[in-house]
């Protein structure tokens, strides 16, 4: 079950004045749903492009199914990577794109593609050039799902899709994955929406991997303690603090550690409030910790201050 | 090999791109030329350049293969080699078919005395004067040349952006001007003129074929490192 | 309606949801429980995570597998859960209740009176139905 199918070793990608990938080491196993999370421009698309041999690394090694994907039909035929800015031939309609995909993916399921097109209300006979941004995303999503490739990448597949369509995508993904297990890599910065779908999380920030852990291990691995500032600080003395916010004499501090049940009781006795930290909050905190104090909130929705019970 | 074939089949999914448009353009241009021939009240043979219209479309096709079909092929995990061979292979067949149409058109044109109005669409002085295989080679190579030059330019653009395209265009111009200047300097224009005079449509096709092969090889080398 | 939150691993929450169903009787002993894929699709979670939650209950003898048919609630599962939950109830509810009561200066008698008063209260209408529908 847990064979390694993707292996990146010391991957470096330099652009003129930018380190898009800065020594990335990564290993992914078969038949899991991975989340590749990070801000816009963190290196998500670059990493996926290099793994699929659509782009080239400056140095390092990228192995997929044990070999480089570059000009390697045996490897390539098992991969599907429709990028967020995917281009299509000028005269193509969605149904042409689907028929093309059917030529190259042996597991292609045309019925499934037809159902999805109906679900997404995609006009399959309109020229792709004339589709809306959301409809364009739907074309990519449908190819990604219906190709049932052993290794499928979804590169921010939700752009332009409304909440209903996004939910539809997540639902179909889980259903189809349950029936046809395969390796899915879902790149996203809408972390709250996908968090529960992921089995493993890889967070990339400015070309570096800053988190690589099972989603279940991350859940509950951090906690926010709030209450009067002096009590909070005394209680958390010596712990790994990710973030601190104050409001008058009150403080809300997030620590990158789980509390034992004894410690939780202790906190409650002190009159402190404990609240869980969502994956999204944790990623935001870790990303910002990397930036130092000058950072801005960036693309992540920041709902840390929201009172949670 | 089967993936190369699939690349060719993929580009025939929408029949307009490789079949519908070239034939429509040819037919439209033919009918227009015929209308004009009929309107000109002269009795000697009338020749038009209308038959070259599809050629320009082939150049656009070459450009789009690289700028749009290539990125799509990458999304479907098609190797660069399979994309290149499949695309060029398909176009060769299309060019062959079109050449057939041009030859046939020329035969009918001759038999009907210029469609009854003494107008010549497929027949071009000098070019089609030789034997049929010389005419065929000429048309075929010109079509291939247009497609490959479009493809080649787009590869340069894909790989090196607009700067690369500018440099290669300027570079080509500089080399041509340099050669012309050199010829003037050495007073070789007479020789060049003689050489030109000795060329036949068949030998011109030969030279163009060499250029095609060079450009096609160049495109492939560039494509090997191109990103979508 | 969805009760998955971020406080702890999802597989634990799935296990708890099934346990809740068994304790409140909406999942009878010897009845079949939904498949892991059904749990995953319903809660929009990773199927592997759902399976982990179900397997946790299989390991502790609450559920058992019938080959080729599916997962069933074991005999005696409810009693086992109630015993464990009673202990947890003390830790999770009685202790903080007592703590808060002490903070507010509420005596043990007053607390007893309050508990008696609340026993006449109906649970929120519809709650049980929703819960079993969610499973």
């Amino acid at each position: 079950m847990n064979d390694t199918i993707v292996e990146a070793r010391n991957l470096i990608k330099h652009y003129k004045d930018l380190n898009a990938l800065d020594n990335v080491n990564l290993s992914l196993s078969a038949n899991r749903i991975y989340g590749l999370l990070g801000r816009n421009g963190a290196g998500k698309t670059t990493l996926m492009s290099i793994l699929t041999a659509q782009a080239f690394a400056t140095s390092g090694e990228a192995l997929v199914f044990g070999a480089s994907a570059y000009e390697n039909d045996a490897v390539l035929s098992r991969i599907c990577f429709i990028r967020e800015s995917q281009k299509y031939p000028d005269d193509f309609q969605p149904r042409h794109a689907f028929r093309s995909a059917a030529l190259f993916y042996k597991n292609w399921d045309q019925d499934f593609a037809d159902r999805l097109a109906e679900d997404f209300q995609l006009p399959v006979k309109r020229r792709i050039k004339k589709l809306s941004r959301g409809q364009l995303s739907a074309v990519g999503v449908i190819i990604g799902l219906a190709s049932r490739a052993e290794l499928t990448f979804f590169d921010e597949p939700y752009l332009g899709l409304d909440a209903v369509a996004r939910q539809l995508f997540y639902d179909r993904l889980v259903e189809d994955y349950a029936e046809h297990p395969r390796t899915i890599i879902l790149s996203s910065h809408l972390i709250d929406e996908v968090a529960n779908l992921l089995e493993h999380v890889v967070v990339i920030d400015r070309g570096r991997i800053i988190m690589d852990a099972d989603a279940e291990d991350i859940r509950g691995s951090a906690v926010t303690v709030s209450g009067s500032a002096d009590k909070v600080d005394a209680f958390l003395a010596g712990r790994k603090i990710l973030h601190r916010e104050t409001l008058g004499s009150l403080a809300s501090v997030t620590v990158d550690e789980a509390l034992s049940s004894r410690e939780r009781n202790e906190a409650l006795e002190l009159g402190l409030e404990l609240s869980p930290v969502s994956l999204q909050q944790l990623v935001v905190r870790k990303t910002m910790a990397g930036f130092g104090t000058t950072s801005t909130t960036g693309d992540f929705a920041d709902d840390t201050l929201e009172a949670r019970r | 090999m089967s993936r190369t074939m699939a690349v060719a089949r993929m580009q025939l999914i929408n029949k307009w791109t490789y079949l519908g448009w070239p034939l429509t353009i040819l037919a439209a241009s033919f009918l227009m030329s015929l209308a004009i021939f009929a309107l000109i009240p002269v009795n000697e043979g009338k020749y038009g350049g209308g038959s070259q219209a599809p050629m320009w479309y082939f150049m656009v096709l070459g450009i789009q293969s690289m700028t749009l079909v290539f990125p799509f092929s990458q999304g479907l995990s098609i190797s660069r080699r399979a994309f290149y061979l499949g695309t060029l292979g398909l176009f060769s067949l299309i060019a062959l078919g079109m050449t057939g149409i041009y030859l046939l058109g020329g035969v009918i044109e001759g038999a009907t005395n210029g469609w009854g109005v003494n107008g010549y669409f497929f027949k071009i002085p000098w070019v089609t004067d030789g034997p049929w295989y010389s005419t065929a080679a000429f048309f075929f190579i010109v079509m291939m040349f247009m497609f490959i030059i479009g493809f080649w330019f787009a590869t340069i653009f894909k790989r090196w952006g607009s700067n690369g395209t500018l440099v290669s265009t300027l570079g080509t111009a500089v080399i041509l001007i340099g050669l012309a200047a050199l010829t003037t300097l050495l007073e070789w224009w007479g020789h060049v003129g003689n050489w030109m005079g000795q060329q036949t449509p068949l030998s011109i096709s030969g030279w163009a074929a060499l250029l095609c092969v060079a450009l096609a090889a160049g495109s492939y080398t560039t494509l090997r490192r191109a990103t979508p | 309606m969805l009760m998955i939150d971020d406080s702890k691993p999802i597989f634990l929450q799935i296990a708890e949801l099934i346990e809740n169903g068994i304790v409140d009787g909406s999942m009878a002993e010897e009845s079949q429980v939904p498949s892991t894929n059904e749990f995953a699709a319903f809660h929009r979670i990773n199927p592997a995570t759902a399976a982990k939650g179900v397997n946790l209950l299989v390991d502790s003898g609450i559920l058992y597998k019938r080959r080729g048919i599916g997962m069933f609630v074991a005999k005696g599962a409810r009693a086992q859960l109630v015993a464990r939950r009673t202990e947890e109830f003390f830790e999770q509810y009685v202790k903080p209740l007592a703590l808060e009561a002490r903070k507010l200066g509420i005596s043990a008698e007053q607390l007893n009176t309050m508990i008696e008063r609340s026993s006449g209260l109906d649970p929120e209408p519809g709650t049980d139905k929703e819960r079993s529908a969610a499973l």
Side-chain angles (χ1 to χ4, degrees):
Chain A
M1 261 303 260
N2 280 346
D3 322 324
T4 299
I5 59 164
V6 173
E7 179 105 58
R9 290 190 206 126
N10 309 103
L11 276 189
I12 292 179
K13 175 69 175 177
H14 285 305
Y15 288 115
K16 258 170 233 157
D17 48 358
L18 179 79
N19 274 354
L21 290 184
D22 192 358
N23 203 27
V24 164
N25 284 284
L26 189 66
S27 131
L28 308 179
S29 312
N31 300 333
R32 289 181 171 204
I33 302 182
Y34 286 88
L36 181 57
L37 312 178
R39 303 179 62 174
N40 282 339
K44 303 189 293 289
T45 304
T46 305
L47 177 58
M48 293 187 289
S49 301
I50 290 173
L51 290 175
T52 55
Q54 292 196 18
F56 303 96
T58 308
S59 69
E61 203 178 7
L63 300 177
V64 180
F65 299 113
S68 164
Y70 179 62
E71 297 298 77
N72 187 338
D73 282 339
V75 171
L76 285 170
S77 60
R78 303 161 76 180
I79 302 176
C80 180
F81 173 35
I82 299 290
R83 37 180 69 227
E84 169 255 307
S85 55
Q86 183 64 52
K87 288 184 185 140
Y88 298 90
D90 225 23
D91 290 336
F92 261 36
Q93 302 163 3
R95 62 194 177 115
H96 297 138
F98 300 153
R99 277 167 62 193
S100 302
L103 289 172
F104 294 96
Y105 293 107
K106 65 177 195 304
N107 295 330
W108 177 263
D109 184 336
Q110 186 60 45
D111 288 342
F112 186 33
D114 291 342
R115 282 201 306 278
L116 287 166
E118 221 164 279
D119 288 345
F120 284 107
Q121 299 174 352
L122 180 71
V124 292
K125 291 187 180 176
R126 187 177 300 170
R127 280 177 78 182
I128 292 181
K129 256 170 82 167
K130 303 233 163 95
L131 297 182
S132 71
R133 176 66 245 199
Q135 291 168 332
L136 192 65
S137 293
V139 175
V141 161
I142 293 171
I143 294 177
L145 284 173
S147 63
R148 296 222 177 99
E150 278 174 79
L151 175 60
T152 305
F153 295 83
F154 288 103
D155 182 15
E156 312 210 358
Y158 43 70
L159 290 182
L161 294 178
D162 60 25
V164 175
R166 293 203 299 275
Q167 196 57 63
L168 193 66
F169 165 58
Y170 302 136
D171 288 353
R172 293 293 174 272
L173 176 65
V174 171
E175 286 164 17
D176 198 59
Y177 169 82
E179 296 276 319
H180 305 275
R182 51 203 195 263
T183 306
I184 308 274
I185 293 165
L186 185 54
S187 138
S188 177
H189 62 241
L190 297 180
I191 302 174
D192 271 344
E193 288 192 357
V194 300
N196 292 352
L197 308 180
L198 308 177
E199 192 173 344
H200 194 96
V201 172
V202 175
V203 179
I204 186 163
D205 183 40
R206 287 172 301 159
R208 289 181 187 199
I209 291 188
I210 60 167
M211 206 192 279
D212 180 0
D214 276 350
E216 291 286 73
D217 294 340
I218 296 171
R219 219 173 294 278
S221 73
V223 64
T224 300
V225 182
S226 36
S228 82
D230 42 346
K231 276 188 188 170
V232 171
D233 289 340
F235 177 70
L236 295 176
R239 288 182 187 273
K240 199 174 161 201
I241 288 172
L242 270 181
H243 183 70
R244 188 171 191 281
E245 269 166 2
T246 53
L247 179 65
S249 65
L250 297 175
S252 175
V253 178
T254 303
V255 284
D256 194 8
E257 286 175 51
L259 299 179
S260 68
S261 61
R262 197 180 53 76
E263 288 168 326
R264 297 184 81 90
N265 281 334
E266 203 180 305
L268 294 176
E269 279 167 33
L270 282 167
L272 300 176
E273 201 174 308
L274 302 176
S275 42
V277 179
S278 72
L279 179 61
Q280 171 153 307
Q281 289 168 325
L282 190 65
V283 171
V284 171
R285 292 299 163 232
K286 291 217 165 172
T287 312
M288 284 175 56
F291 268 90
T293 49
T294 54
S295 65
T296 53
T297 315
D299 306 310
F300 296 118
D302 189 356
D303 52 1
T304 322
L305 279 173
E306 249 179 46
R308 281 180 174 236
R309 288 185 52 83
Chain B
M1 201 55 207
S2 65
R3 287 172 81 81
T4 305
M5 287 294 288
V7 169
R9 282 175 58 195
M10 173 179 95
Q11 303 192 70
L12 289 176
I13 286 177
N14 186 337
K15 302 271 186 301
W16 279 100
T17 317
Y18 274 85
L19 300 171
W21 285 121
L23 293 176
T24 307
I25 291 171
L26 186 68
S29 158
F30 173 69
L31 292 175
M32 254 173 4
S33 303
L34 221 54
I36 293 169
F37 293 149
L39 287 174
I40 301 174
V42 234
N43 260 338
E44 63 221 51
K46 291 160 277 191
Y47 297 91
S51 57
Q52 64 170 298
M55 310 289 178
W56 297 103
Y57 174 73
F58 290 150
M59 189 156 95
V60 174
L61 210 53
I63 294 171
Q64 287 191 348
S65 295
M66 191 55 213
T67 56
L68 298 169
V69 185
F70 170 65
F72 181 57
S73 77
Q74 286 281 294
L76 299 181
S77 299
I78 298 164
S79 68
R80 290 163 174 81
R81 181 184 51 243
F83 166 75
Y84 179 85
L85 292 176
T87 303
L88 222 58
L90 171 66
F91 185 77
S92 309
L93 291 180
I94 299 293
L96 219 54
M98 285 296 277
T99 302
I101 294 176
Y102 275 65
L103 284 182
L104 193 68
V107 169
I108 299 174
E109 212 164 55
T112 57
N113 212 355
W115 312 100
V117 291
N118 211 6
Y120 296 91
F121 180 78
F122 295 103
K123 197 175 162 194
I124 304 167
W126 187 72
V127 168
T128 56
D129 288 350
W132 71 272
Y133 54 83
S134 145
T135 308
F138 187 87
F139 282 132
F140 178 75
I141 293 295
V142 168
M143 288 178 212
M144 290 306 287
F145 181 76
M146 294 303 272
F147 185 82
I148 289 172
I149 195 111
F151 192 87
W152 179 74
F153 254 113
T155 350
I156 300 281
F157 180 74
K158 276 254 128 200
R159 184 88 155 77
W160 289 288
S162 42
N163 283 343
T165 317
L166 196 68
V167 166
S168 57
T169 315
L170 283 180
T172 315
V174 165
I175 290 172
L176 288 178
I177 293 170
L179 284 177
L182 198 68
T183 316
T184 310
L185 204 69
L186 299 172
E187 295 178 345
W188 276 3
W189 282 115
H191 299 284
V192 173
N194 279 339
W195 183 82
M196 293 281 222
Q198 285 162 10
Q199 296 309 304
T200 63
L202 198 59
S203 67
I204 289 283
S205 304
W207 293 116
L210 275 181
L211 191 56
C212 277
V213 169
L215 284 177
S219 310
Y220 186 55
T221 333
T222 318
L223 177 69
R224 295 275 294 179
R225 303 295 295 176
T227 57
Chain C
M1 192 255 326
L2 195 71
M3 39 316 253
I4 302 293
D5 64 34
D6 298 309
S7 58
K8 53 187 163 190
I10 294 176
F11 77 95
L12 291 177
Q13 300 185 47
I14 289 294
E16 252 167 50
L17 279 168
I18 301 173
E19 288 176 4
N20 287 342
I22 296 171
V23 169
D24 72 17
S26 57
M27 282 184 184
E29 291 179 4
E30 296 298 343
S31 69
Q32 189 171 5
V33 298
S35 72
T36 55
N37 286 351
E38 283 168 326
F39 273 115
F42 185 84
H43 293 289
R44 302 187 165 116
I45 58 171
N46 190 294
T49 313
K52 206 172 160 192
V54 169
N55 286 335
L56 190 71
L57 296 182
V58 171
D59 292 345
S60 58
I62 302 292
L63 302 180
Y64 69 95
K65 274 182 204 170
R66 274 194 213 157
R67 219 168 247 287
I69 305 177
M71 214 69 78
F72 290 80
V73 179
K75 241 196 177 82
R78 189 168 183 277
Q80 190 189 333
L81 286 173
V82 167
R84 205 186 75 208
R85 287 254 173 133
T86 307
E87 188 48 38
E88 281 170 5
F89 176 71
F90 176 75
E91 287 290 328
Q92 272 179 24
Y93 298 101
V94 181
K95 259 185 162 175
L97 181 86
L99 271 170
E100 185 69 14
R102 200 165 62 203
K103 231 189 269 176
L104 298 173
I106 300 171
S107 72
E109 292 96 81
Q110 277 175 305
L111 203 55
N112 271 333
T113 322
M114 282 174 160
I115 292 170
E116 273 161 26
R117 225 169 78 200
S118 70
S119 67
L121 296 176
D122 271 337
E124 275 177 63
T127 310
D128 278 356
K129 230 182 235 165
E130 272 174 24
R131 180 180 283 170
S132 43
L135 289 162

